[in-house]
Amino acid sequence: MRNLMITGGAGFIGSNFVRYVLDRHPAYRIVVYDKLTYAGNLDNLRDVAERWPKRYAFVHGDICDAALVRETVAAHEVDTVVDFAAETHVDRSIMDPAAFIKTDVYGTYVLLEATREMGLERMHQVSTDEVYGHVPEGSSKETDAVAPRSPYAASKTSADLMINAYHVTYGLPVTITRGANNIGPYQYPEKVVPLFTTNALDDIPLPLYGDGLQVRDYHYVLDHCEAIDLVLHAGEIGAIYNVGTGAEVPNIEMARVILRLLGKPESLIQPVRDRPGHDRRYALDVEKMRALGWEPAHTCVEAIESTVRWYVENEWWWRPIKSGKRYQEYYRRQYEGREIQ
Ligand code: NAD
Ligand code: DAU
């Protein structure tokens, strides 16, 4: 493993992973392959391009474009694909599922075919705990049945199933990680933690869905990156690994912690109509990952503190996004008239 193609590397987790790998593996080279959708942003990689100009390259491309994928693999002598490229926001998948099916399902198939035809050493898929659906009690093991409930979750699940089929049918060397909610630097401010943090900084209401008692496991993005790196190097071919901390944080508690950290009043919390089909709880059993020797380095509280600090210190990054026409139109469409009094 020497030449990695990181699809979706200009997004949140992908850009953190690029930095992590270049820092940790001095012999590796990376080509980021990214369509630069609304969520892709070369600002996420600005320091990477400056720090490692000889070991980092960027290709602007769609994973659904089979010819360009193959051309990039050949030109950069890629031996390993790590696939972060996806449409990722559940609310957008409810508004308009088409892009999710194209990228998350068909795009993954294109990468599988390239891996097969070009005889690559590995394709790793970055998947999600949402494939297990709502988990009323206990925690999901990798062997549990999948039961996705949103168009986003269904498209990610379809990709996981196709990856497994390629492993069984063609013996393709694949691995999958299923991560819980990541937080940290460079997360697009549509996701709840950067949205609440940046709204609070501007004294704008925090739109809390329903009763706010939905539970998520928020873990630090670099812990997730470390887990993916470990699976790439020590994971069993064909296997799936859950990645999370096991901590359970209700959304209302997350909102309160963010406001407390920023010294803002709880009156900024604005209940809004719930997300349709909202999964109330995800919970992962992460024993299999632990057995590989992985342990998250950040507690949930540390992860939230350091994420909030990053947004306080990096207005240069999020202010242009939030003041842009595209973001403001999305915000209006998503939240206008949704308040519950
Ligand atoms: P993100 O939305 O921040 O970034 C996605 C990136 O993919 C962007 O750079 C975008 O331009 C790129 N992209 C989208 N469609 C593409 C296409 N057709 N071709 C090439 N590039 C394309 O996403 P993220 O939060 O960093 O998530 C990365 C991956 O991790 C996704 O596969 C997601 O399902 C998975 N995941 C995310 C979380 C989370 O909490 N954010 C948790 C578990 C798993
Ligand atoms: O669990 C992993 C998943 O986490 C990833 O696969 C997805 O790509 C990622 O987007 C994330 O999905 P969620 O739906 O859990 O994340 P989101 O930040 O959208 O919402 C987190 C919780 O906060 C969820 O219960 C809904 C709630 N929420 C969200 C928004 C955007 C609100 O209460 N208000 C909001 O405005």
Side-chain angles (χ1 to χ4, degrees), residues 168-208:
V168 171
T169 309
Y170 306 113
L172 211 73
V174 297
T175 39
I176 296 177
T177 42
R178 290 180 174 159
N181 289 58
N182 285 225
I183 55 175
Y186 304 108
Q187 186 170 32
Y188 193 83
E190 64 188 351
K191 308 287 173 14
V192 76
V193 170
L195 176 74
F196 281 9
T197 304
T198 55
N199 276 17
L201 283 167
D202 282 344
D203 300 306
I204 295 170
L206 279 49
L208 185 71

Side-chain angles (χ1 to χ4, degrees), residues 131-314:
V131 302
Y132 299 113
H134 166 57
V135 184
E137 54 192 33
S139 52
S140 308
K141 283 191 190 314
E142 292 84 348
T143 46
D144 284 0
V146 288
R149 291 162 25 102
S150 73
Y152 163 71
S155 67
K156 293 293 291 185
T157 307
S158 307
D160 283 13
L161 296 177
M162 191 59 77
I163 289 163
N164 185 53
Y166 267 66
H167 174 64
V168 171
T169 309
Y170 306 113
L172 211 73
V174 297
T175 39
I176 296 177
T177 42
R178 290 180 174 159
N181 289 58
N182 285 225
I183 55 175
Y186 304 108
Q187 186 170 32
Y188 193 83
E190 64 188 351
K191 308 287 173 14
V192 76
V193 170
L195 176 74
F196 281 9
T197 304
T198 55
N199 276 17
L201 283 167
D202 282 344
D203 300 306
I204 295 170
L206 279 49
L208 185 71
Y209 293 167
D211 59 11
L213 295 178
Q214 307 84 5
V215 167
R216 294 291 184 269
D217 172 357
Y218 294 95
H219 66 145
Y220 198 60
V221 63
L222 289 177
D223 290 334
H224 187 194
C225 292
E226 190 181 5
I228 295 169
D229 186 49
L230 186 57
V231 169
L232 269 178
H233 292 90
E236 185 194 334
I237 297 295
I240 299 172
Y241 294 86
N242 289 339
V243 185
T245 67
E248 299 193 19
V249 184
N251 292 328
I252 189 155
E253 188 51 31
M254 170 62 82
R256 288 185 180 131
V257 170
I258 290 171
L259 291 168
R260 216 166 28 243
L261 287 169
L262 294 173
K264 300 285 183 175
E266 286 194 13
S267 56
L268 277 177
I269 297 176
Q270 171 64 64
V272 299
R273 215 170 43 247
D274 207 350
R275 172 185 281 175
H278 197 166
D279 289 336
R280 281 190 80 76
R281 178 175 178 267
Y282 301 129
L284 289 176
D285 179 314
V286 294
E287 279 316 307
K288 196 168 165 186
M289 201 59 235
R290 287 216 168 91
L292 277 188
W294 175 85
E295 202 57 58
H298 303 78
T299 62
C300 188
V301 172
E302 286 165 352
I304 299 170
E305 283 175 357
S306 117
T307 301
V308 168
R309 200 175 320 119
W310 190 84
Y311 284 87
V312 169
E313 290 168 359
N314 289 279

